[in-house]
Amino acid sequence: MAVYRIGHYGGAGARHVVTGDAVRVVPQAKPRSTATGIIACDWPVSWTLEVPTTWVSGLFLAVFTSDDGHRSYTPFVVRDTARRSDILVVVPFTTYQAYNLWPFDGYTGKNLYKGYVSEGKVGGNPERAFQVSFDRPYAQGGRPRWFEMETSAARWLEADGYDVTYASSLDLHDGRIDPSKYTVVVFSGHDEYWSVEMRDCAESAVPAGTHLAFLASNNIYFHIRVEDSADGRPGWVVTCYKEAPDPEPGESGPTVRWRQLGKKHAKAEQKLMGVQYNGIIEEPAPLVVQESGHWFWSGTGLRDGDHIPDLVAVEADGFDPSMPRPENTRQTLLSKSPYDDSMGRGRKIQNTSLCENDQGTLVFVAGTFAWPLALNEPDYLDEQVGRATKNLMTRMLEPRG
C-alpha cells in the first residue's frame, strides 16, 4: 500500500508519502444487495494507516499493488480543522458513492441511478439502490467518477501558492467544519448529494462572511440522509429514494430533489447559489461571455459574445426566474451559453453566476463540469479560465471592513 498526496509538486502532480509493509490477503466473499439495494462488504481489516500529525492536510490517494502487478486505488482526505487556512476545499465523497456501481461485474453492482437487469446489461431506475455504503471499493480501479475535477483544482490551487486545507462532504455533515474560520470555501467538483446538515453548514457561511465558490455544476441537487451502517457505525450509508416513496422522511423531509422541498420551491438550490442545474449537454458547447467589463474577466482579453471553446460540457447550470434566488444580493450572470440538452428538452442556456450580498460576501458558480478541468487537466487547459478564477480568488481573499 503506497500513499500519495495530490498537489502540484513542480508539475509531478503528487508526492509519495509512505509505503506500507507487504500484507498477506485472501479472497473475500462478494456481498449481495438487500431490500434497499445496499451492497456492503463485511470484510476483515487487513491493514490500517495511522495518519501522523505531521502530515499536511490534503487530498490523498492510496495505491494498492498485488504481487502480480494489479493496481487499484482509493482516495481520502486528511483534514486539519484546528488551522484557519484561507481556503477550505470540500471533496464530494457522498456524490462519489452515489455514482459507485461496484461491483462492476455484469450482474451485482448497484448505485443510486441503476443496477443490472441481466448479465452484462445495465438497467435504470427500477434496478437502482435506495442506499449505498462506504463499505465497498470504487468501481473500475478505485478512482471515483469525475475525481479528476478534484485533482485538477487541488493542483491549480497549490501551484499558485494559496493557503489551503481540505475536508470531505461528510465532515460538513458531521459538524466538524466551522465555515466562519475560513475566508473561502471551495466546492471543487460535482457535489450533487447533500444532507440537511451539509446545506445548513454552507448556508451559515454566507452571513458569517465566508465566500463560497462552486467550481463545477449540478450541486446541491438531491437531498440525502447519511445513516449508520448495519453494525452501528455512524456516517456509513447514503440514503436517497428520489421518486420512490421515502419510508422514513424525518424532520428534514423526504429524500427528493432539494427544489421539491418547502413551499414554492423554498429549498431550491438556486436560493443559495443563484443558479441551478438545468440540463445534460449533448455535445460540448462554447461558453459565451457576457459582462466582460466585470472585474471577473479582467486580463482575459475577452469581450461580450466571445467564445471559450467546449467549456460548457457534461452538465450545466442556469438561472431560472421561476425559482427563488439569494436575498439581498446583486447577481451578475457572467455567461449566456446556448446548448442542446441530451435528454430531448430542447435548447437550454448555461449561466456562470456571481452573487454579492450587502456585506460583500460572494457566491460563485461556474455552471459547467469543464471549469475545474480547465484549470490543470492537459486536455482541457485554458489560460482564460485560469485567469478568471485567479481574479475570483484574489477578490475573495481581499480584506474587508
Side-chain angles (χ1 to χ4, degrees):
M1 291 77 163
V3 177
Y4 297 82
R5 185 185 182 278
I6 305 297
H8 181 62
Y9 298 111
R15 176 173 65 88
H16 175 255
V17 178
V18 67
T19 296
D21 294 333
V23 176
R24 182 170 178 80
V25 295
V26 296
Q28 299 295 331
K30 187 183 297 183
R32 295 289 181 181
S33 62
T34 67
T36 64
I38 193 169
I39 296 171
C41 302
D42 185 17
W43 297 343
V45 174
S46 57
W47 183 70
T48 300
L49 172 67
E50 297 289 344
V51 176
T53 58
T54 55
W55 281 19
V56 176
S57 175
L59 177 60
F60 288 75
L61 194 67
V63 181
F64 312 112
T65 306
S66 65
D67 283 343
D68 62 1
H70 176 77
R71 280 186 169 181
S72 61
Y73 312 87
T74 193
F76 63 96
V77 161
V78 171
R79 61 181 180 270
D80 186 358
T81 53
R83 190 166 82 77
R84 290 177 173 266
S85 59
D86 290 340
I87 299 171
L88 176 73
V89 174
V90 178
V91 181
F93 280 87
T94 51
T95 299
Y96 289 165
Q97 205 54 260
Y99 281 90
N100 184 12
L101 196 61
W102 189 93
F104 199 69
D105 60 357
Y107 56 91
T108 308
K110 290 179 182 288
N111 62 17
L112 294 183
Y113 292 88
K114 54 195 174 185
Y116 290 101
V117 291
S118 60
E119 188 165 346
K121 185 178 180 181
V122 176
N125 274 336
E127 291 75 38
R128 71 179 183 87
F130 302 129
Q131 292 184 306
V132 288
S133 170
F134 282 99
D135 269 334
R136 56 184 185 147
Y138 293 104
Q140 295 178 288
R143 285 166 52 96
R145 190 176 184 187
W146 294 111
F147 183 61
E148 56 266 39
M149 291 186 185
E150 273 67 52
T151 58
S152 180
R155 288 164 178 159
W156 182 83
L157 286 164
E158 297 195 12
D160 272 30
Y162 292 108
D163 177 28
V164 186
T165 55
Y166 295 78
S168 76
S169 51
L170 290 169
D171 293 321
L172 264 66
H173 172 84
D174 289 335
R176 286 189 282 260
I177 301 303
D178 176 2
S180 68
K181 292 173 62 173
Y182 309 96
T183 307
V184 186
V185 176
V186 171
F187 299 91
S188 54
H190 177 37
D191 208 338
E192 182 177 357
Y193 286 79
W194 284 52
S195 68
V196 67
E197 292 85 356
M198 292 166 60
R199 180 154 181 174
D200 286 349
C201 182
E203 288 186 336
S204 72
V206 179
T210 300
H211 307 291
L212 303 179
F214 295 87
L215 297 186
S217 58
N218 194 7
N219 300 290
I220 322 181
Y221 187 60
F222 278 113
H223 173 225
I224 62 171
R225 287 192 300 276
V226 178
E227 300 182 306
D228 296 352
S229 64
D231 58 3
R233 286 168 294 148
W236 229 249
V237 172
V238 175
T239 300
C240 190
Y241 279 83
K242 301 185 180 180
E243 297 85 3
D246 188 338
E248 300 179 27
E251 292 183 7
S252 60
T255 50
V256 294
R257 293 167 181 82
W258 275 100
R259 62 185 72 173
Q260 294 173 277
L261 295 171
K263 295 181 179 179
K264 297 182 179 180
H265 310 290
K267 290 292 186 178
E269 58 269 41
Q270 184 170 281
K271 179 72 178 297
L272 171 63
M273 297 188 295
V275 290
Q276 61 186 32
Y277 166 73
N278 69 359
I280 299 175
I281 296 148
E282 187 170 24
E283 294 289 342
L287 183 135
V288 182
V289 173
Q290 67 175 13
E291 301 290 346
S292 60
H294 194 277
W295 56 259
F296 179 83
W297 295 118
S298 178
T300 63
L302 294 165
R303 298 290 181 264
D304 283 10
D306 284 354
H307 290 190
I308 303 179
D310 296 335
L311 189 59
V312 178
V314 188
E315 294 181 354
D317 292 342
F319 177 71
D320 186 341
S322 70
M323 292 287 178
R325 57 182 300 276
E327 298 176 356
N328 303 316
T329 63
R330 299 176 297 279
Q331 183 174 23
T332 305
L333 297 179
L334 297 159
S335 69
K336 187 177 181 181
S337 315
Y339 70 91
D340 291 321
D341 181 79
S342 67
M343 304 297 288
R345 293 172 290 199
R347 198 76 161 154
K348 298 277 189 175
I349 298 294
Q350 177 273 346
N351 297 120
T352 298
S353 171
L354 186 70
C355 292
E356 181 175 3
N357 70 7
D358 295 340
Q359 288 73 45
T361 306
L362 302 171
V363 177
F364 170 77
V365 182
T368 167
F369 271 35
W371 192 283
L373 301 175
L375 296 175
N376 196 263
E377 277 289 304
D379 291 342
Y380 295 85
L381 195 63
D382 189 282
E383 292 182 0
Q384 293 168 320
V385 173
R387 177 57 190 265
T389 311
K390 189 165 188 175
N391 291 342
L392 177 70
M393 293 294 111
T394 300
R395 180 60 65 101
M396 286 182 163
L397 293 172
E398 285 181 352
R400 287 180 287 162

